Each structure stands twice: as structure tokens, then as C-alpha cells.
Amino acid sequence: IGRDGRVVWVHDEAEFVPGLPGEPDLMQGILVDVTARKEAEESLRYHGEVLAAVAKQDYAAAGQILRPQLEARKDALVAALDAQLGDRFSFRAPEGGYFLWGRLDGVDCDALLPKANEAGVPFVKGSDFFVDGSGKDHLRLAFSAVKPEEMDEGISRLAQLI
């Protein structure tokens, strides 16, 4: 476990070095952080399972594979919104899907979007979905491509812009 609480994967290589007569034996080696490789391997395995199910046109199986990850991401977003925006952001947690719709009372999301993009927290402005030009206080947040552990940081950045 790293100092920041993340799980860190390491590969170690060690060798035994005998000491000279009358001196202690030694063990020397190196540790290499392979966390990025392990995460990439897991991502490839996961996406490979989804693609294999889709290739067989077994969409129910693909959904079963995706559902737990999407649920965890949605739950992390909802928790971050509740903790950091509270009553300022009204929404109903989705039962599934990839997005969460909400309303920031009194906030012009059209004007907020460029600042949010610059802060690395893009969203889709609600006015794009209202034929009468209203909905400027609505936005759509995508949670499907954001890791649960990144939700707090993203919503914190958004909250600082409001």
C-alpha cells in the first residue's frame, strides 16, 4: 500500500551474495513498480471479456460484466455529489446507464462549461437537450469512463467553479 493509500504492485529481483570468510552473507536486489502494467493487464482482461460477449452477440452477458463496474462508478458519483454539492445540485440517481442528469439551481451551465472543461471536468450542458432554449441550469455528467476513486476529485473541481 502506497503512502496515498493506493495499492502498489511491485516486482522484486533479489540475489544472495555470500560474504567473504568471516563476513556476513548479503541479499541484494531491486523493487520495480509494476502497478501501471498490472492495471493495464486487468483493463485488457475486463474489456476482452466484454468484447468476447459482444462478438458472440451475447449482450446479456456483456451487461452482466459491465453492470458491477458501472454501479460502483455511479455510486461513487452520487456520494461525491451529496458530499460536495449537497442541496445545490438536485438529481435523481439513475438505476442504470452511463449518465446522471441534474440541476444546479441558479447556475448557468452554458457559461460554466468552458471553465469546467479547462478544469478537466467536462459535462454536457442541459440546454443542448431543450428545444426551447431553456435548461441552462441542467447538466449531464458521464460516470461510465471515470474510475470511482477519481469521482471526489472531479466533483471537488466542479464545486470550486460554482
Side-chain angles (χ1 to χ4, degrees), residues 51-122:
L51 288 173
V54 170
K56 293 186 230 171
Q57 296 185 347
D58 188 352
Y59 303 113
Q64 292 291 14
I65 296 166
L66 290 168
R67 190 169 289 115
Q69 188 175 88
L70 290 170
E71 185 82 16
R73 292 170 183 218
K74 184 256 310 175
D75 290 346
L77 176 58
V78 167
L81 289 167
D82 284 341
Q84 299 192 42
L85 291 175
D87 293 338
R88 294 186 292 171
F89 187 69
S90 56
F91 67 95
R92 194 185 88 199
E95 294 180 24
Y98 303 96
F99 308 104
L100 182 144
W101 274 97
R103 186 168 136 199
L104 278 166
D105 293 319
V107 175
D108 181 347
C109 293
D110 289 14
L112 178 62
L113 181 58
K115 296 175 198 165
N117 284 337
E118 191 174 305
V121 193

Side-chain angles (χ1 to χ4, degrees), residues 2-143:
R3 291 180 186 163
D4 60 359
R6 291 181 316 113
V7 173
V8 177
W9 290 88
V10 295
H11 171 79
D12 69 347
E13 292 186 19
E15 68 180 0
F16 177 75
V17 180
L20 297 172
E23 292 186 12
D25 296 331
L26 302 172
M27 183 69 86
Q28 69 180 11
I30 61 169
L31 288 176
V32 179
D33 183 346
V34 295
T35 305
R37 186 185 87 208
K38 290 298 257 180
E39 289 172 348
E41 289 170 355
E42 176 58 24
S43 180
L44 285 172
R45 184 199 61 74
Y46 172 79
H47 289 94
E49 290 176 9
V50 173
L51 288 173
V54 170
K56 293 186 230 171
Q57 296 185 347
D58 188 352
Y59 303 113
Q64 292 291 14
I65 296 166
L66 290 168
R67 190 169 289 115
Q69 188 175 88
L70 290 170
E71 185 82 16
R73 292 170 183 218
K74 184 256 310 175
D75 290 346
L77 176 58
V78 167
L81 289 167
D82 284 341
Q84 299 192 42
L85 291 175
D87 293 338
R88 294 186 292 171
F89 187 69
S90 56
F91 67 95
R92 194 185 88 199
E95 294 180 24
Y98 303 96
F99 308 104
L100 182 144
W101 274 97
R103 186 168 136 199
L104 278 166
D105 293 319
V107 175
D108 181 347
C109 293
D110 289 14
L112 178 62
L113 181 58
K115 296 175 198 165
N117 284 337
E118 191 174 305
V121 193
F123 60 81
V124 178
K125 52 192 171 76
S127 63
D128 288 348
F129 297 89
F130 287 73
V131 295
D132 64 358
S134 65
K136 288 185 182 285
D137 58 352
H138 287 73
L139 59 86
R140 184 179 80 173
L141 296 168
F143 57 82

